[in-house]
Amino acid sequence: MAALSGSELASRFVSKALEMGFSDVAVLVEDVSRVMVKFANSQPSVVQRWDTSVASLYLSKNRRLYTGSVVLDRLRDLDKLLHEISYVVDRVSESELYAPLPEPSRKAGGFSFVDTRVVESMKDPSRLAELVLEASAREHKVDFTAGKVDLWLRRKHLATSTGALLEEESTGVEVYVRSFKEDGSGQWGFSSRSLDEKKIEETALKASELAHESRGRSPVEPGVYDVILSPLVFSQLLNVVAWMSTGLSILTGTSIFTDKKPGEQVASTLLTVWDAPRDEKLPHSTGFDDEALETYNKPIIEKGVLKNILHNSKTAAKLNARPTGNAGWVAPRAWNLVIESGDYKFDELVSEVKRGVFITNNWYTRLQNYVEGVFSTIARDAIFLVESGRIVKPLERLRIADTLPNILKNVAGLTRDTYDVMWWEVRIPTRAPYALIRNVNITKHFA
Amino acid sequence: MEDLLQKAIAEASSMGATYVEARYHKNDYFTLRARNGNLIDSSREVEEGVGVRVLVDGSLGFASTSTLSIEGVLEAVRRAVAAAKRLSWLMKSPLRLGPGRTGRVKYEVPVAKSFENTPLDEKIGLFRELWNRGREVVKEASLKVMFNEYVESLEEKVILTSEGAYVRSTIPRLYFGYNMVISHPQKGVVQRWREFGGSGGFELVEKWRVVDTVVEEAGTLGRVILEARAPPSEPVEVLVGSEIVGLMAHESAGHPSEADRILGREAAQAGMSFIKKGMRGFKVGNENATVVDDPTIPGSYGFFLYDDEGVSARPKYLYREGEVYEHLHNRFTAAEYNTESNGSARAMNYASEPIIRMSNTYVTPGDYTFEELVEDIEYGVYIKSYMEWNIDDERWSQRYVGLEAYLIEKGELKGFVRNPVLELTTKTFYSSIVAKSKDLRFYAGTCGKGEPSQGVPVWFGGPDVKLSKIRLGVAPG
């Protein structure tokens, strides 16, 4: 007998589970091929290759929920797997979040976001690694460079008890680079569905330029400053906000929107942030969510007003809303983020600042309190003092220690140019401009 | 499975690999999640596959597959070797392998009360009890959210290397985490996120006193939100609770002692270290500053006896009486340091390369009782727990924001302090320790590192530590 495909295995599982008395069933099979060159000290440190086929499962019976994942091969022994699941489902209590799977508007078909150049480069990524290393060293004699080139081909097949049988094939690219020169360092990142060597080159050049310019750093005094955030930093903070904009975050007390309703002003009128699954340039774009609902672009925040909480059918039912095509069977999520651009050129944004700080990268954002959004994050790599509308000198590391509502409300300017970024600390692909935020609390160690 | 892995090693060796490591790795997780006493879902996630790492012409390749047939595994081997070969021309400084005491051994963690034989009702009952009792003890303010996550897991590994290592291990673990939100219309919100973890079976729930501990804390935080005052603005003596001391050991002794970090391998991700090569003996603190990493602690969350390169694990002094003493090594960094691996390579799952990780990292205890430490303080602050923390990417400037914290006056705890901020350098912390309690306690966490990011279970621990006078900040909000 010929081996069954991922879609066939998924469909067979759904049918058998319905026969056994489950009321809602969905199977998401993902076949992923992925190659990553990680480099450090200006040479590869490891090249990694993954080829995985994993089936994620969702079942419910009598309002009891089960989710799981197994390697695809385990789907071949249907009876054993379903009996194991039944044993659990028959013994757990009802879920307070149960809602039936929604009726899909489109039950069959496929989506494709494939760039064959990505697939070709996966066979031999050494040329891209060389490009990054060469470009890093081209204009500024950096001491060393680190980063990664990450390429993937992903096929997903979704079968549901509501009759959907959907497929999607997509490629993706994520590149980030960090270069070091003396006491300076710079980091930049890029992500896309398709291979863009010019952007990869620019990423490496930018990291080296920032490393070069941030040498000879001075300490900064703690206090309140106007702050310009690079697209990397703004994306990182908006990733946190996007995670907080999901229904499950609200229900589990991890959101600044816990006591907010759509329609309330939560940010500066300059700020519009989209969940953008249909932006085909960004690498987490997708045509359908895990409940087989078609995805669509929607503002999370529009002109400062909270417009949409991201839902699956369960969180929507619990919070008296409608699903938004963002499932996750239990946890909804944002797909891609697009922060709308503003009117400024970068130099014009700088000229708005009398006394401020320009931060190009950050990491380690942690919260004291998710509901009030009290957080701090550490600025790293190139940081600059801005005085009287000019970038004056590089600064040592510092922290932003403020609240997320303050950051959102104090957005005072955005650049026209935007950048499609991802890196280790930005896991939702984000298109972001530079942002000017007024009156931000800056700290550093006291002792 | 051993045969399959042996064939993988033979195949890679025949293709020119000078070192091969093949690992069968299965993680089986069963999770229950609940909100406000009610179950959200049950979940079972099984990650199972083989990861192969090869050294070819000084270039390192890793490949993994979830296809456990001989064809699937050999295909992964070929891909790892081919990829390493293709990158080898970019290696200015080819990677080398240092020595390590590899083993041929089987071991497993015993379980007193198995997960399978514990009724699901008993597990789910924990959530209801937490919610019901938690609501009762929070007076005036209200317990708005109690989110719980219960995860029982079994990690099984078989590791073979081309140099003869053979390690078969079975480690069951239990994790319990909660997020608690307490609010008051005028006073705002306090929030607590905490984790328990260890290796063993369901008996750990009783050992940890999960329900009593959480309920006691809910009652206390219900008072913190009502009563806490701003911390003193002048420098004061600070008694840092063991939970924070443990985290500091992890962040500011464990991470900067990872030799791969020091050598730059994580430079674009979690960063580097203030410790540079050749800084053994660097004075980082006073004679009270001793930090150990020990994967062999029975029942610990970061427990293992052999690492994922098949090397025997052992306790290490990272800092000893104020000096940088020993780094965490795998066999690759051992070569750069002309030493031998101390067994610190761990992989999260079959799809992850082994990298240098901590296990159970702690500040060693002292001679005082907690009461004696408090008695000696004329005016100060005791910070028992935290929520927000971070540290820079060289592990030098660190920040911890207290949650349950007390003013100390004339040797007694006198009411709560709200959100005191300890923001100091690593050297300041380890140089300011004037006394330590004799009570060593451990806390569970999941440490993230690597690309793709790998989360591995760890403990961090320490005694309560008294610091000489230091200025505290206060969190915004």
Side-chain angles (χ1 to χ4, degrees), chain B residues 350-363:
Chain B
Y350 75 92
S352 302
E353 59 157 349
I355 55 174
I356 293 175
R357 307 307 299 261
M358 278 172 269
S359 55
N360 307 299
T361 313
Y362 62 94
V363 173

Side-chain angles (χ1 to χ4, degrees), chain B residues 341-352:
Chain B
S341 168
N342 48 29
S344 301
R346 301 175 72 182
M348 174 177 74
N349 57 19
Y350 75 92
S352 302

